[in-house]
Amino acid sequence: MIQKSSGSGRRILTCPAIHPCDSISPSTLLISLIDLGGDICSYKSKVFSVNKRNARETFRQIANILLFLQEIRDTTSDLPHPVILSLSELHLTFQKIRCLLEDCTRDGTRAWMLVSSDWAANQFRIVIRGLATGLDVFPLSTIDMSNEAKDLVELIIRQVRKASFDPDPDDKKAVKDLMRIMNHFEEGIAPDPIEIRRILDHLGIDKWSSCNKEVKFLDSEIGTEFSNEENKTKLELLCSLMGFMSYCRCVIFDTVDFESQHLNGQCSNISKDLKGINVDDLKCPISLEMMSDPVTLSSGHTYDRCSILKWFRSGNATCPKTGEKLTSTELVPNLVLKGLIQQYCAENGIPVVVSRGKNRDISRTVMAGSSAGEGAMKMLAGFLINKLVNGSGEEMNKAAFEIRVLTKTSIFNRSCLVESGTIPHLLKLLLSEDSNTQENSIAALLNLSKHSKGKCVIVENEGLDLIVHVLRKGLKIEAQQHAAATLYYLASVEENRVLIGENPEAIAGLVELVKNENHHCKRNALVAIFGLLVHPENHWRLLASGVVPLLLNLLRDSEREDLVTDSLAILATLAEKIDGTVAILRRGALQLLVGILDTCTSRTGKEYCVSMLLALCVNGGLDVVARLVKIPSLMGSLYSQLSEGTSRASKKASAIIKILHQFYENNSSSASVTPVLPREQFVHVW
């Protein structure tokens, strides 16, 4: 009955407490309540950054109630049924107290709990009053217990009713100081570092990694609240806090600590959990596709958000899996399952389909979200440029790293740092002899290359040659990997595709990176090559580089779906021209492609495979068609694409089927042609 609440599975400042079921026995409920009280008392050892006094008073009252409950357990073997009402109320209140204590001690939420300290103090007051209510209705006269125990109950009731549970004065002062600093950001005034440190000391944030956790939490909350039109004040406050904590992370903390051992431990635990998972449990029961945004219904079953919303919009009010009528259509995000799905996809090379809600989260970052957040970022940009220009080698490296972190997901941060002139200084650091500085600089440029103006600034400052230099001679394989990805984003501009193709080292460097054992390197190189193929002149350059045999070998050997799909995309594009078709056919690829079409699990991969087969038929002539007709499994795979493939795959599969049928009909008298299907089963699709 007792479940440990999880900080990762419950939104902060929410309390999903439930009443115990009506049929529970009094003794079972009592034992559960004592266990829950012990769980609450375990929070004494944790750090409370806010509401310390209220937490201490709560622990004192819970300890007293536990004494009372333990005496009942030890002295009364058969509890009367009327005690269930009281114990149920206490159980519900204990759940709420545990959630509140968890929020006050949750890692990474200290800044938000500080500005919410008044609300939290009021919640302490409410839940403690709930204890009095539960004890009030306890039938003391029906239970044989000591007078001391009865006196203790009456004392608890009096004390909890008198307790004020006001906000902590130290919390109120820290909030006041914080609001003043955020006003300074709005006005463009640099805050006093001493005042900032005083607030951080109050919250117990004493290192870069702790500050970074605060930023990550605030970012996730902003993403959740962005679509909530009713609470813009809360959203602005979150954005202002985000600006404050980002500023603190860069300016106040000189050293970056990663706690790598702890992170590695987390990863290994997740991987261990994945070993016992049935992949079908990660798929939506409606769409049968991997879920991107799993949500749980009141029936307890989980579906992908977009699929279940479509179900509801069709007028259904039942659980699709069980058919039972739903008591509520509320959707509860299943964050634990979402994390497992993302981990499974990452470990198995499966592209994660991003939900539409996530796309909105990305678009929200076009703006800072608040005046304070905007002012903090602009001030921070000036600070970082100063470090890039005038700092020591270590300070330059940290500045490049901070830019890398700031621009990873925020469009506004990218725009602000591009406008402030960071790109020319980052380009100079690509020639650094320090491997970390070079890696952080190219990673930062990768993020800035996603900004439209950032692409122009990089090219205007002769950045292409420097990026290709890192691609070919980067000091770390990670730097080469980031350089390939940067070329991919730069190649989204036609003029840049021409310039990259004309650089004799660029395509050669990308092809060489495909040979690397690291699958991230392979993937970045493949997508960059695919981007360059949009420019027709790059076709012959890629053929001359020997990319065709390399990709065909990758198709034979790789078990990663993403690498197979990317390789098929490149080969399908090359096959559209006769010289590409010739290069592919010379390597005897037909049987391989038919086998991939039959076994590939990716709809996109199958689409590219069908596209390539059609191009080979068109450009390769009757010889190719004659060989395809003799492959027994091909026709079944093509017919499956008519109903199961993408719209483009369906059309192209239909075209191949027509070509094969026409060829067979024209050559039916020839004994050298083995039919794929009996004549009477031929289906004319056009």
Side-chain angles (χ1 to χ4, degrees), residues 324-342:
E324 70 175 274
K325 190 173 179 62
L326 297 172
T327 57
S328 167
T329 56
E330 181 182 2
L331 305 178
V332 179
N334 194 328
L335 302 181
V336 174
L337 181 58
K338 186 175 183 178
L340 288 173
I341 290 170
Q342 291 173 342

Side-chain angles (χ1 to χ4, degrees), residues 124-348:
F124 273 111
R125 187 182 304 112
I126 292 170
V127 294
I128 292 299
R129 297 289 188 271
L131 294 178
T133 301
L135 293 172
D136 261 341
V137 297
F138 194 92
L140 291 173
S141 59
T142 63
I143 296 178
D144 184 20
M145 64 171 62
S146 65
N147 290 331
E148 289 82 359
K150 293 179 180 179
D151 291 341
L152 178 60
V153 172
E154 293 173 358
L155 176 64
I156 294 170
I157 292 173
R158 287 196 302 272
Q159 286 181 340
V160 297
R161 283 177 175 163
K162 285 182 181 178
S164 60
F165 287 93
D166 294 323
D168 194 305
D170 290 340
D171 293 344
K172 295 181 78 170
K173 183 179 185 308
V175 170
K176 185 178 178 180
D177 292 343
L178 176 59
M179 294 303 172
R180 183 171 60 252
I181 289 173
M182 289 198 289
N183 286 336
H184 286 340
F185 284 140
E186 288 185 27
E187 297 163 2
I189 302 172
D192 185 349
I194 295 176
E195 283 193 9
I196 293 179
R197 288 189 179 277
R198 190 183 303 126
I199 295 171
L200 295 178
D201 289 344
H202 176 76
L203 295 175
I205 299 173
D206 57 357
K207 52 188 177 181
W208 188 95
S209 59
S210 299
C211 199
N212 192 46
K213 287 177 184 176
E214 299 285 323
V215 173
K216 286 185 174 181
F217 165 76
L218 292 167
D219 187 51
S220 67
E221 282 295 297
I222 291 169
T224 303
E225 290 293 331
F226 182 70
S227 57
N228 185 1
E229 296 288 336
E230 299 176 359
N231 207 345
K232 294 209 169 184
T233 302
K234 180 181 178 181
L235 182 61
E236 287 184 8
L237 180 56
L238 284 165
C239 292
S240 297
L241 270 180
M242 176 89 160
F244 170 76
M245 295 309 302
S246 297
Y247 184 89
C248 293
R249 184 181 62 189
C250 296
V251 176
I252 301 300
F253 298 105
D254 297 328
T255 305
V256 177
D257 62 299
F258 283 108
E259 300 178 343
S260 57
Q261 289 182 347
H262 175 66
L263 291 177
N264 289 338
Q266 277 190 329
C267 291
S268 62
N269 287 338
I270 292 175
S271 298
K272 186 178 179 181
D273 290 342
L274 286 174
K275 290 179 181 177
I277 281 187
N278 182 349
V279 179
D280 289 338
D281 293 336
L282 307 181
K283 296 179 180 179
C284 176
I286 298 175
S287 67
L288 302 181
E289 299 284 344
M290 199 73 74
M291 289 183 279
S292 60
D293 189 7
V295 292
T296 303
L297 303 183
S298 58
S299 64
H301 292 283
T302 300
Y303 303 88
D304 208 7
R305 184 185 294 274
C306 59
S307 297
I308 194 63
L309 286 177
K310 193 179 294 184
W311 172 265
F312 288 153
R313 283 194 293 268
S314 299
N316 300 298
T318 57
C319 175
K321 203 166 184 180
T322 64
E324 70 175 274
K325 190 173 179 62
L326 297 172
T327 57
S328 167
T329 56
E330 181 182 2
L331 305 178
V332 179
N334 194 328
L335 302 181
V336 174
L337 181 58
K338 186 175 183 178
L340 288 173
I341 290 170
Q342 291 173 342
Q343 181 67 19
Y344 178 84
C345 291
E347 291 189 5
N348 291 276

Side-chain angles (χ1 to χ4, degrees), residues 377-422:
M377 189 59 226
K378 288 180 177 178
M379 205 169 294
L380 187 51
F383 171 85
L384 292 171
I385 283 187
N386 181 54
K387 293 296 181 182
L388 288 175
V389 175
N390 302 314
S392 63
E394 188 175 333
E395 288 173 332
M396 288 181 181
N397 177 39
K398 183 174 184 292
F401 173 76
E402 295 290 1
I403 294 171
R404 173 183 183 176
V405 174
L406 286 166
T407 55
K408 186 173 183 180
T409 56
S410 171
I411 297 172
F412 174 77
N413 289 355
R414 291 172 193 162
S415 175
C416 194
L417 287 160
V418 168
E419 294 289 347
S420 64
T422 57

